[in-house]
Amino acid sequence: MSLPLVPFQPDRLQNLRWSFPSQYGFAHDLLFVPLIPTEVLRVAREYPIGFHRTEHGCEVVAYLGDADGRANRFVDAQGRWTGGYVPFWLRVRPFMRGASGASVLLDPALVGVAGTYAFTEDGSAFSAEAEDVARQLDRVQRGAAALSAAAALLLETEVAQATAGGPWAGLAFVPAARPAEVLSSDMAGWYARDPRAVELAIAASFSTAFLPATAESPVTLDTAHAPTEATPRQAAVAPLYVPTALPADLDWLDTGEKIAF
């Protein structure tokens, strides 16, 4: 069933309330979710980071699917999230990215007359809680262009490499040894060009250890630089600079501590 999506505007949300999700059954069939800049390091500790091109540019995603690409392997039969970290755009549902700005999904499980927070105070202006959401989503939007540009650079230079078929066809990943192989010979040049691309490449290469793999469907990359054998764990990565995550990098609704690797 397709749910209505309306602009995040007071006149479209009068007399409605919302709650954030406590269950994630809605994400059962979701194979990947877009990332925001402040969560890349956290995601890299648990989920494979992939890249793909969309009609609006390049996107960085967390791959959530199982080895067959049929279902989200982090949602159990009761709708509970089994991973240690829930990606931002799942935590903030019913708020979603829209073609012309933030939108609200009219999911009756989260939006109605009995939710935790009111959208408007008197029907004409946002409530304090909704204003806070609007500020945080605006912050996310401002950082999206830089992350997209870094992803585009990694795709153009083939640091991120497309997979050859399988459940994640259409996505590109950074092989474990690829950052050391490509970036280390001209680290100063790469940092001068786009520091975020360097950090993203390292985080993404680390995350490939978490790609689901089966003996029948090994992970392969359509490139001469692919590992000769695919294993559930990645090969060691040559030492490169990895930025230490700061408390200021914590994203909204994320009360945990960043983990630097």
Side-chain angles (χ1 to χ4, degrees):
M1 179 179 66
S2 178
L3 298 173
L5 191 66
V6 301
F8 186 18
Q9 298 171 357
D11 61 334
R12 302 297 298 272
L13 299 163
Q14 292 180 19
N15 304 317
L16 290 177
R17 303 178 69 87
W18 90 89
S19 300
F20 291 119
S22 58
Q23 297 288 312
Y24 295 89
F26 63 85
H28 179 268
D29 297 321
L30 190 67
L31 298 184
F32 57 84
V33 62
L35 300 184
I36 66 172
T38 55
E39 68 181 341
V40 169
L41 290 182
R42 292 201 60 131
V43 165
R45 298 290 303 195
E46 295 191 56
Y47 313 115
I49 293 177
F51 305 82
H52 74 125
R53 298 183 187 277
T54 71
E55 58 182 316
H56 303 295
C58 296
E59 193 169 61
V60 183
V61 303
Y63 182 76
L64 307 172
D66 55 23
D68 298 321
R70 295 179 180 176
N72 184 339
R73 59 189 167 124
F74 299 100
V75 177
D76 68 14
Q78 288 72 46
R80 294 173 298 200
W81 192 267
T82 61
Y85 174 78
V86 182
F88 179 85
W89 285 113
L90 301 183
R91 280 184 282 130
V92 300
R93 187 181 171 105
F95 300 96
M96 303 183 71
R97 301 186 309 170
S100 58
S103 300
V104 176
L105 188 70
L106 299 184
D107 182 343
L110 300 172
V111 177
V113 297
T116 306
Y117 307 102
F119 281 104
T120 59
E121 294 287 4
D122 57 8
S124 61
F126 278 140
S127 65
E129 293 83 3
E131 285 285 4
D132 185 42
V133 173
R135 283 193 298 271
Q136 300 297 340
L137 296 183
D138 181 63
R139 177 188 176 196
V140 166
Q141 182 60 33
R142 291 197 304 270
L147 186 62
S148 179
L153 180 57
L154 297 183
L155 286 168
E156 290 165 6
T157 55
E158 297 186 344
V159 174
Q161 300 172 347
T163 52
W168 36 79
L171 292 180
F173 297 92
V174 179
R178 190 66 170 151
E181 180 183 345
V182 178
L183 276 59
S184 59
S185 61
D186 185 23
M187 184 61 74
W190 274 91
Y191 265 103
R193 189 172 181 180
D194 190 342
R196 186 180 292 277
V198 177
E199 297 164 4
L200 181 58
I202 298 169
S205 69
F206 179 92
S207 76
T208 57
F210 304 106
L211 274 168
T214 64
E216 295 76 20
S217 302
V219 178
T220 60
L221 297 169
D222 186 15
T223 171
H225 299 285
T228 55
E229 295 183 4
T231 62
R233 302 297 299 181
Q234 69 177 31
V237 179
L240 289 175
Y241 168 70
V242 179
T244 300
L246 302 175
D249 288 334
L250 290 173
D251 65 68
W252 187 54
L253 297 183
D254 177 5
T255 57
E257 294 184 357
K258 284 283 192 181
I259 302 173
F261 48 82

